């Protein structure tokens, strides 16, 4: 089985006493997507969850996951859509300790063509998940956001921004039920379905030039495994209302193309319709004033308004005011060889 998950029962978690996965029951939306699958596999491999409830729309992927992972003692599969609040309420067990909300429509061009569908899933779906969590008293909800939400320039980014802001503000109501809602926000995930890495790999395999939007484009990068680790850390640290942002490296798309297919022909196709950015932002100029460094690898953007807390529990070294965290002005860059190592590709180093 992929990742050596099948049959794994005895796991020694180094942080078991403070772990939000070991001995916990978690509900994961979008659990058969790229991130959801990586999270489920990591949870089984490195932790001892009491129960993981897989919630998604695709019965085929659920069946494949059930066969591949072979953990009927832990895994529960529930078909459903986050758009359906009644179904969510039926699928979520009251004994759940937390919800990981990863379900979303993510393709910029598709969302631009069908904006109402994105609103139904990304915005209203998020409202449904959080409302059900509040009604049922689920202690922790973690919403997965995106760098596209910052200074949003496309419809997808706008829906993630609205969902993110609702997740933060929902603590006003959630706190009376001892429920807390927080967010994680990160950049491009290497290995996710439909990512630019897959697009480049497909073009290479079919002998087509690699389509690059703009030679100046830069992006933040992390692996699926790193994304899961960040979420686990955020679950442990959250007090409600924070947006957790990891420190990530940047890379130019033309360097990514060289890493995936050295010397392969390329073509410049222009920015995708719908409002694609040349550079991404993880923390903007306004948010930096409310940002603290939790540790060397993670920032927390504190909520601007937090009436659910008399005191402010979020501590850490304040970020330098006047800066913004953008992919072009980053102080950490990936080389071609770094990316090849991350993708497990032969190095072009001579």
């Amino acid at each position: 089985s992929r990742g050596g998950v099948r049959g794994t029962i005895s796991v020694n978690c180094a942080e078991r006493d403070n772990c939000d996965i070991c001995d916990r029951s978690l509900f994961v939306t979008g659990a058969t997507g790229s991130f959801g699958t990586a999270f489920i596999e990591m949870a089984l491999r490195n932790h001892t969850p009491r129960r993981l409830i897989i919630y998604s729309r695709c019965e085929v992927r659920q069946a494949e996951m059930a066969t591949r992972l072979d953990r009927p003692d832990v895994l529960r599969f529930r078909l459903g859509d986050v758009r359906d609040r009644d179904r969510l309420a039926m699928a979520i067990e009251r004994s759940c300790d937390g919800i990981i909300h990863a379900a979303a429509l993510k393709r910029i061009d598709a969302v631009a063509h069908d904006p109402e569908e994105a609103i139904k899933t990304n915005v209203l779906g998020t409202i449904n998940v959080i409302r059900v969590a509040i009604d049922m008293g689920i202690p922790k909800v973690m919403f997965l956001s995106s760098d596209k939400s910052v200074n949003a320039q496309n419809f997808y980014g706008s829906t993630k921004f609205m969902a993110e802001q609702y997740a933060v503000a929902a603590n006003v109501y959630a706190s009376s039920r001892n429920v807390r809602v927080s967010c994680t926000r990160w950049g491009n995930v290497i290995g996710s379905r439909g990512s630019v890495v897959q697009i480049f790999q497909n073009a290479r395999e079919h002998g087509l030039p690699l389509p690059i939007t703009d030679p100046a484009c830069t992006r933040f990068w992390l692996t699926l495994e790193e994304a899961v680790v960040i979420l686990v850390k955020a679950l442990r640290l959250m007090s409600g209302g924070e947006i957790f942002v990891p420190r990530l490296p940047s890379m130019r798309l033309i360097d990514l193309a060289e890493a995936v297919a050295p010397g392969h022909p390329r073509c410049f196709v222009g920015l995708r319709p719908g409002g694609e950015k040349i550079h991404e932002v993880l923390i903007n100029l306004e948010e930096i004033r409310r940002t603290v460094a939790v540790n060397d690898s993670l920032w927390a953007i504190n909520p601007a308004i937090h009436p659910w807390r008399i005191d402010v529990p979020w501590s850490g070294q304040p970020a330098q005011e006047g800066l913004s965290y953008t992919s072009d002005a980053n102080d950490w860059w990936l080389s071609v060889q770094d990316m090849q190592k991350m993708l497990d590709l032969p190095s072009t180093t001579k």
Side-chain angles (χ1 to χ4, degrees):
S1 65
R2 189 174 68 178
V5 173
R6 181 187 296 272
T8 300
I9 296 177
S10 178
V11 177
N12 181 22
C13 174
E15 299 179 339
R16 186 182 183 88
D17 292 341
N18 295 314
C19 181
D20 281 275
I21 299 178
C22 289
D23 303 321
R24 302 291 201 277
S25 177
L26 299 176
F27 184 89
V28 186
T29 73
T32 54
S34 298
F35 175 86
T37 299
F39 175 80
I40 297 299
E41 293 186 352
M42 184 280 298
L44 293 176
R45 186 168 55 246
N46 299 337
H47 303 271
T48 55
R50 183 173 72 252
R51 183 164 297 170
L52 296 172
I53 303 173
I54 314 300
Y55 189 77
S56 73
R57 299 179 299 176
C58 186
E59 74 276 19
V60 174
R61 289 181 184 171
Q62 287 196 8
E64 291 173 346
M65 180 182 287
T67 300
R68 185 178 72 253
L69 301 184
D70 192 22
R71 289 298 304 275
D73 57 320
V74 175
L75 301 181
R76 299 290 183 271
F77 293 88
R78 302 287 183 264
L79 286 172
D81 197 313
V82 293
R83 301 180 181 191
D84 188 339
R85 189 181 298 179
D86 289 340
R87 175 56 185 155
L88 276 167
M90 180 177 290
I92 296 176
E93 300 178 2
R94 288 190 177 275
S95 61
C96 275
D97 300 290
I99 297 176
I100 311 300
H101 179 34
L105 296 178
K106 301 174 182 177
R107 289 192 61 86
I108 292 175
D109 48 356
V111 166
H113 290 135
D114 291 299
E116 288 188 18
E117 297 305 300
I119 292 174
K120 292 174 184 176
T121 296
N122 296 359
V123 181
L124 299 181
T126 299
I127 292 174
N128 287 339
V129 170
I130 294 173
R131 284 285 300 274
V132 170
I134 293 173
D135 290 343
M136 300 183 72
I138 308 299
K140 291 187 175 185
V141 181
M142 185 63 72
F143 167 68
L144 273 62
S145 190
S146 165
D147 53 4
K148 307 296 187 296
S149 70
V150 188
N151 302 339
Q153 298 297 310
N154 53 60
F155 201 85
Y156 165 67
S158 297
T159 63
K160 296 300 276 189
F161 171 76
M162 288 297 297
E164 189 180 82
Q165 292 299 301
Y166 177 82
V168 172
N171 285 278
V172 173
Y173 303 98
S175 59
S176 64
R177 305 289 182 89
N178 293 320
V179 175
R180 293 292 185 268
V181 186
S182 294
C183 309
T184 55
R185 179 198 288 170
W186 49 56
N188 286 31
V189 179
I190 300 168
S192 60
R193 280 192 285 266
S195 69
V196 66
V197 171
Q198 285 195 345
I199 292 172
F200 286 172
Q201 289 173 332
N202 289 337
R204 179 195 62 196
E205 291 170 3
H206 290 87
L208 300 173
L210 275 57
I212 299 174
T213 52
D214 189 287
C217 270
T218 61
R219 293 291 184 266
F220 292 105
W221 297 96
L222 75 164
T223 65
L224 276 168
E225 292 75 14
E226 289 169 337
V228 171
V229 170
I230 291 163
L231 182 135
V232 173
K233 290 181 179 178
L235 271 177
R236 186 175 69 250
L237 295 168
M238 64 179 286
S239 297
E242 312 95 338
I243 302 173
F244 291 98
V245 178
R247 298 175 186 264
L248 298 176
S250 295
M251 190 176 199
R252 298 187 303 167
L253 286 188
I254 55 174
D255 292 332
L256 175 67
E258 181 64 20
V260 173
H264 197 84
R266 309 164 188 171
C267 62
F268 295 104
V269 297
L271 297 176
R272 286 180 292 176
E276 186 176 21
K277 300 176 186 176
I278 291 181
H279 308 293
E280 291 293 354
V281 185
L282 274 171
I283 306 175
N284 65 28
L285 286 169
E286 297 302 320
E287 292 173 326
I288 205 74
R289 300 173 182 174
R290 297 182 276 113
T291 300
V292 297
V294 177
N295 51 45
D296 291 340
S297 62
L298 196 65
W299 279 298
I301 303 172
N302 294 324
I305 302 173
H306 43 86
W308 60 93
R309 295 301 295 258
I310 297 175
D311 58 339
V312 181
W314 307 281
S315 61
Q317 180 66 34
Q320 184 176 346
E321 190 171 342
L323 296 179
S324 63
Y325 187 23
T326 63
S327 60
D328 61 320
N330 201 354
D331 59 2
W332 182 12
W333 289 82
L334 292 174
S335 67
V336 170
Q337 290 73 34
D338 290 334
M339 180 59 72
Q340 288 172 335
K341 184 176 181 180
M342 294 172 73
L343 295 171
D344 197 24
L345 296 172
S347 175
T348 56
T349 302
K350 296 182 179 179

